[in-house]
Structures are given as structure tokens and as C-alpha cells.
Amino acid sequence: MGALIATLALIATPAGAQVVRDGLMPRAPLMITPIVSGILLCNAGNENTELKTLEQIEEWCAKNGQNNDLAATNLLNQLEPGGPSGKVQLGYTLLVPLLELYEQRVGRWEISPAKIDKYLRVISVIGRPVVVYLMGDHYDSSSRLSQELAQDPQNLLSFSTGPVPTSRYIGHGIIPFTLRTDETIPVNHYRFGALRAVAKQLKALDEKTRSHIVAVTLAGELHHMYPDFENGVGEFDDIKVTDYSAASQQEFRDWLKHKYDTVERLNQKLGFRFARFADIEAPSRDIRKTGLDSFAQHYDAYAAGKLPMFGWLWDPNQKIQKISLYVDGKLRGPVDQGLGRMDVYRAKSEVTSPNTGFRGMIDFRAMPVGKHVAQIVAQSNGKPYLLGEREFVIVPKDQSSTASAPAPERLTGLEEASQIPGVEHWLDRPKALQDVYYNPMAREWNQFRAHQVNQMLSHFYRVARAEGLPAELLYSHQIVAETNGTWNPVLFASDESVSNTTPWRNGINQYGASPFAFEYLKKKHIRGYGVPEFNPLQGKTPEVARDAFVQHYQAGAKFVSPFFLSVVPARLRAPDDKRHFDIAPDNANDGADKLYDTLQWFVRK
């Protein structure tokens, strides 16, 4: 599902490693566990053209005793004949939507052990390695129960203007369920009730069936919401974030009280004059557009004190050795490179890799007010070249004039990087003379929002452990916005949930082809990991998919789950279905056909 949000991938070689396509170093087997759409469909039901919906096929298969002849079994056996063996073993991911496990009885929603069994019996029927994906996030939206819960605002995240509306992403419903963990909230009562019930039935499976389970991924992509779910991931100029519900704001005040103990200490540290914690509200007003009662109310993409500077660089002949960020003529440090830029990859035929993004981060919290200059400088054969330059203005909180501030220093006499043969580049942000305002309360608000994401994932983990699921099997199922060159991580507030200090093991969804992702794992000191959703999206250079699988093997991934294979009959596809991410021999979109070939090649290693 988070699959549905494109552009992350780990396809770069870790430092010091070599790509080996024809042989694999010794290690525990890597499980390749694709998500299979239509996992409950049987062969005979798929061939019955009188059946017009997935539900009809599932019901027909059950009624006619065909559930032991699943279409998914045939598909997996075609990819890896003879069953799983060797250094790379083929399994699958079993997606279990938690809110679909209820049925209505006498006006009440009650858990259905039969519905749980319908999913879990697949494990013994297919008899291959399986990742059990217990989905309980905003993608768990298809059931009658989830639709009913969507009508109650207490179940939803909220913008400062009110509850976030439901939406769609590539045809799939999105319900912005709360990140609060209180189980008296109806949606939490149901999703954690279902989690407990599934965990109990998983634990009750016979030993042979349980032995097929290589991982259990929790919840799905947990993150905060923003407008225009499908297209709004790169918004910076006019952001709206969550969660401003009354209960969430009270939790924010409680979090501040726990952190600072007294309001006097908070005022001393942050520079405000609150009389009591009850007077604090989460910042939500843009000072450029709305009057403020207190500067603590200001909020925008940069209010926490960080200004990203990013663009793309196409350097196929590797003429550039490194790029660095300078502010006011002084070196600030290296710039992250190799970020995903699928937009550039798709728009420019000569660009054969989406690994073109770069980003530097300007921390302006301690900088003086007034105009400043940021420069991205490339080094080529020992000579500096200008890759991009922007002036920006730090504005006082009273919005007084900065005309008397001294003019900033800058590096001068630099040739443009476009003078280097074969190099193309572009600087996207910040916009010219971007004005920025640092509000310490906005920093606190972003940290609290990240805390909410972590708390929800922690609650999923604690419930799973309390029901006896082994800690070594429990993985997150997270998206990492930071590896996408144009995305705004502030909108998601989720990157801190990927860490080497979490009790759960890290599962990171990866799309596109960002070599920075390995650097990200290195920076976070993460060793073991899983990839709950994966798709290189590489049509121009299909060999990249081979490198991606091998490099995951070398990096020690426990499992990699390509998104996605399908056994849904073609007759059931919607007329406007563009088959995004559908890995199949007859789908050339973003190299899906080549990925199918690569998958088949790899699992026979």
C-alpha cells in the first residue's frame, strides 16, 4: 500500500561491498516475499467468467471447496519450481486488513474467527515462507466497518480547520485514522481487538505452519497527513499538517509538561511568557497570511528552524567528485546525494537513473536576522563549480526591517557547473529570497508529532508482544520520506520511527532507486532490516533491478517484498487501471516486465 507512494529504494552497494550478480556470499537465506493481490482466489474461481467481483470469486471458492487450490500457489511455483531452497527463497506476503476481520451481529461489530482463519489457513496451503502483514493504518479502508468508523470525527486525524477528509490514492481508499493510542477511541478498540485476535490464532497454529512465518509487519505506513494525499507530498509553500484535534492538543500540552516540568522552565528555554500550560496551543498560523496573538502560533514548513536546499544533478560520466553546502561563504558540510527523483527520470529521456536528487539542510536557528546566501558547490578535478545559489532572509518575529543588517559574504568567481561537459542540473528550492521565521514552539510541535507516530507503532508492538508474538518476528512497515528528493518530511513526521533503538525491527518501504537509502541506514546505525514493499521502477536500465536484489542480499536484509504480483483475473481490472506497480511479463510500465524476469532469475539462485 505504501507502495502506493513512490520513490524509495535501496539499490546502492554499501560502502566497501561489491555487486556480485553471478554468485552470492554465504549468509542466512534471503526471503523474497512478494505481496500477492488476490491471495484468497482459487484457480477454478478465476476461470469462472460468470463471477464478476473478487468477493464473488472468494465466496465461490469457499463454497465449492476449492481453497486448497490457490492461484497464488501456481504463480509462485512458476517463479521458483520445486519449492523454496538455497540462498534465496521465494515466499509471499499475506496482507491481513485488521478492520475486515469483523462481522455485524445483532447491530454490533464482533470479531470473526472464521474470517481470521480464512487468511491464516493460506499459510499451510501455500507452504512457503510468509511475511504476515497486519494492516491497520489509513489503507485499511475497504470494509463496511472502516467506512462506518470514517463517519466519526474522533476516529480521524484533524487539520487545524477540522477533520481530514477521506481521499483516494490510485483508486484505493484512504481514511486518515487517528495516531492517538487511547483504546476507548472506536477505531482503536477495533483495530487492537483484531490485532489481539489474530495474534492468538497465529500463536495457536501448529508448529509446522508457524515455521513458515519469517516476519510479522505491524500496522502499515504510520505517519501524519496532509492535503491532496496523492500529489501533495512535496508541498512547502502552504502546508497543512495533523493532528490538531482537541484531544491531541491536550496530549501536546501534557508532553510539554513532562518535558519541561514547569511553565517557567518552558518559557526560559523557548523564550515565551505563558502563564500556564493550558494557555499553549499547537502552532498553526502562517505569519505571512494570518495575524498572530503570540509568535508561538506561527507555523510553516521552515518554522522549526530548518531550510532545505535541493535539486537534481545528472552526471553520467562522474565528472563531479562531491558537492557541499556553503552559507555566507563558509562550509556547512556535505550535501546528501543519490536521492530519488522519479519526476526527472520520467521527464527526461537522457536521464537513465532516478538517483539524481541532492539536498542540503540549512539550520538557521542560531543565525542572525537579515539576508543570507546559500550555495551548493561541486568539486570536479579539484576545481569548485557553482551548482546553485539562493539568497534567503531570516525575519525577526516582530517582522521589523532587516535593511540595516550587514550584507552576507559569499563565494565568488565560481564557474557554473553547467560548464562541465555532460553535466545537467537544476536547483528546485528554496525559492529566491525565501523568508523564514524560527519559532521554537514549531520545533516542539514537530517533535511531538513524531512522538505520536512512534507511540502508535509502539502500541502495536506492545499488543503483539503481550499476545505472545516473538520479538524477533516483529517489524515495522514504514515509509522514509527523507530518501525522496522532493518530498517534505515535515508533512509525515515519521522518519524518527526508523531507528536502531526501537524494540521492533525496522521494515522500510522502498520505491525508485535511491542509493542514499543505504547511507540513511548507516547514519541510523541500522544493521538488520526488512523491506516490506519494494519496486525499483526501472524501465530504462533493467539491470538495476538485479543489482538491487543482490545488494539487499549483501546488506543483510531478512526479507524483501516486491510490490506486487497479482492473480486477479484481467477481466476484473477497471477500465482506467494503469497497472501501477503490477509486476508481470505483460506490463512494461516502469520496467515491471523486466522486474518479473529479474525476480524469476534471483529466486533461482
Side-chain angles (χ1 to χ4, degrees):
M1 302 325 227
L4 302 174
I5 310 180
T7 325
L8 309 175
L10 298 181
I11 69 163
T13 308
Q18 299 294 320
V19 175
V20 182
R21 291 202 182 107
D22 297 320
L24 298 174
M25 63 184 182
R27 55 153 282 183
L30 170 61
M31 304 301 177
I32 302 299
T33 52
I35 295 174
V36 180
S37 178
I39 193 72
L40 300 176
L41 303 180
C42 65
N43 288 301
N46 277 357
E47 294 167 3
N48 187 340
T49 57
E50 294 181 359
L51 304 175
K52 304 300 183 184
T53 68
L54 294 179
E55 293 75 15
Q56 289 177 3
I57 296 176
E58 288 180 18
E59 291 174 5
W60 186 94
C61 294
K63 183 178 179 181
N64 289 274
Q66 296 293 313
N67 284 340
N68 289 332
D69 184 28
L70 297 177
T73 303
N74 288 11
L75 175 61
L76 297 172
N77 288 342
Q78 289 170 10
L79 283 164
E80 186 192 35
S85 63
K87 296 177 180 178
V88 180
Q89 299 183 14
L90 179 65
Y92 62 101
T93 293
L94 176 64
L95 193 159
V96 183
L98 294 177
L99 295 179
E100 288 190 13
L101 303 179
Y102 289 86
E103 60 185 7
Q104 202 165 31
R105 300 172 185 161
V106 196
R108 295 183 56 181
W109 289 102
E110 297 182 3
I111 202 74
S112 169
K115 287 189 175 183
I116 300 175
D117 181 67
K118 176 181 68 174
Y119 284 100
L120 299 192
R121 70 185 307 275
V122 170
I123 300 174
S124 59
V125 169
I126 293 181
R128 285 179 174 270
V130 59
V131 172
V132 180
Y133 172 11
L134 301 180
M135 184 172 69
D137 64 350
H138 46 276
Y139 286 109
D140 192 359
S141 61
S142 300
S143 66
R144 286 176 53 213
L145 173 57
S146 63
Q147 295 298 316
E148 180 179 301
L149 293 168
Q151 305 308 309
D152 186 347
Q154 70 175 315
N155 294 321
L156 306 178
L157 292 165
S158 181
F159 294 134
S160 60
T161 53
V164 180
T166 59
S167 59
R168 299 192 70 78
Y169 186 89
I170 310 183
H172 191 92
I174 304 295
I175 300 178
F177 287 128
T178 182
L179 291 169
R180 297 180 58 232
T181 59
D182 181 356
E183 289 202 31
T184 66
I185 300 171
V187 67
N188 287 345
H189 168 76
Y190 290 115
R191 57 185 170 185
F192 290 117
L195 176 58
R196 291 184 174 95
V198 174
K200 284 185 173 70
Q201 288 189 225
L202 279 170
K203 189 177 178 182
L205 295 173
D206 63 84
E207 184 177 350
K208 180 179 179 181
T209 302
R210 288 200 312 271
S211 70
H212 294 305
I213 302 173
V214 298
V216 176
T217 64
L218 298 172
E221 294 175 347
L222 294 175
H223 59 74
H224 279 275
M225 287 292 176
Y226 50 87
D228 190 5
F229 187 81
E230 187 167 341
N231 302 300
V233 291
E235 181 60 57
F236 284 86
D237 293 330
D238 187 24
I239 69 169
K240 293 175 69 175
V241 301
T242 55
D243 178 22
Y244 290 95
S245 66
S248 175
Q249 294 218 46
Q250 183 56 51
E251 289 182 358
F252 177 50
R253 298 182 193 102
D254 294 341
W255 180 82
L256 289 171
K257 189 175 190 304
H258 177 78
K259 181 176 182 178
Y260 291 102
D261 189 38
T262 66
V263 73
E264 290 79 15
R265 188 166 185 269
L266 178 145
N267 287 333
Q268 180 186 21
K269 293 290 186 179
L270 304 187
F272 297 116
R273 296 181 178 179
F274 293 107
R276 53 184 186 163
F277 283 103
D279 296 334
I280 298 173
E281 62 182 79
S284 63
R285 304 185 194 179
D286 188 334
I287 196 172
R288 305 171 189 82
K289 304 171 184 178
T290 308
L292 308 181
D293 301 320
S294 162
F295 185 70
Q297 296 173 324
H298 170 62
Y299 190 77
D300 65 9
Y302 319 116
K306 303 289 184 67
L307 177 65
M309 187 172 189
F310 63 81
W312 59 270
L313 168 65
W314 177 234
D315 179 22
N317 299 315
Q318 298 184 327
K319 299 279 189 176
I320 293 173
Q321 285 73 57
K322 68 174 181 178
I323 57 177
S324 305
L325 171 65
Y326 286 78
V327 178
D328 298 335
K330 296 181 180 179
L331 177 65
R332 281 294 186 97
V335 172
D336 291 332
Q337 293 181 252
L339 307 181
R341 288 298 300 259
M342 289 298 296
D343 56 335
V344 178
Y345 177 71
R346 286 169 172 154
K348 299 181 73 65
S349 60
E350 71 273 21
V351 175
T352 58
S353 169
N355 307 339
T356 60
F358 65 80
R359 180 177 54 234
M361 191 64 71
I362 304 164
D363 186 340
F364 62 86
R365 290 176 294 178
M367 294 175 62
V369 299
K371 184 183 292 186
H372 299 269
V373 176
Q375 296 169 300
I376 302 290
V377 177
Q379 290 286 334
S380 179
N381 296 322
K383 180 179 178 180
Y385 291 83
L386 185 63
L387 199 60
E389 176 179 295
R390 287 288 189 273
E391 293 182 334
F392 64 98
V393 182
I394 302 174
V395 185
K397 62 183 181 180
D398 62 2
Q399 295 184 292
S400 57
S401 173
T402 62
S404 61
E409 300 289 333
R410 74 181 72 203
L411 299 180
T412 58
L414 299 177
E415 290 186 34
E416 290 284 340
S418 56
Q419 299 300 311
I420 304 173
V423 168
E424 295 183 61
H425 64 93
W426 185 261
L427 186 64
D428 293 277
R429 284 188 178 274
K431 64 184 181 183
L433 289 174
Q434 175 69 60
D435 55 330
V436 294
Y437 305 74
Y438 172 48
N439 174 16
M441 192 60 74
R443 181 198 67 207
E444 299 294 312
W445 177 233
N446 284 349
Q447 290 177 358
F448 171 72
R449 294 170 59 242
H451 168 76
Q452 285 187 309
V453 174
N454 285 344
Q455 284 297 101
M456 178 56 78
L457 190 46
S458 294
H459 200 71
F460 268 89
Y461 176 82
R462 287 194 296 268
V463 170
R465 289 290 293 123
E467 295 300 333
L469 294 185
E472 64 270 16
L473 291 183
L474 298 178
Y475 286 75
S476 61
H477 195 113
Q478 288 295 78
I479 192 169
V480 184
E482 189 177 331
T483 61
N484 291 272
T486 60
W487 286 17
N488 183 356
V490 171
L491 302 177
F492 297 87
S494 63
D495 281 3
E496 289 185 15
S497 63
V498 180
S499 166
N500 70 335
T501 62
T502 60
W504 57 84
R505 300 192 175 194
N506 289 282
I508 306 172
N509 293 344
Q510 294 145 1
Y511 293 79
S514 172
F516 171 71
F518 270 117
E519 293 300 318
Y520 181 87
L521 292 174
K522 182 178 178 181
K523 178 175 68 174
K524 295 272 189 173
H525 304 289
I526 293 169
R527 297 178 183 271
Y529 67 98
V531 186
E533 297 179 25
F534 169 77
N535 196 316
L537 299 171
Q538 294 274 340
K540 299 178 184 178
T541 50
E543 69 274 7
V544 170
R546 286 197 173 196
D547 291 350
F549 280 118
V550 172
Q551 290 155 7
H552 277 303
Y553 181 97
Q554 292 174 309
K558 174 68 173 180
F559 64 92
V560 175
S561 302
F563 187 92
F564 61 93
L565 297 173
S566 178
V567 293
V568 176
R571 70 178 186 276
L572 299 188
R573 292 182 193 141
D576 60 347
D577 183 0
K578 298 179 181 179
R579 303 186 68 188
H580 291 290
F581 313 115
D582 184 355
I583 304 168
D586 64 343
N587 182 20
N589 288 340
D590 289 321
D593 50 353
K594 302 298 190 296
L595 179 55
Y596 184 92
D597 293 341
T598 297
L599 179 60
Q600 189 171 50
W601 164 84
F602 191 55
V603 299
R604 299 186 187 196
K605 297 299 289 181

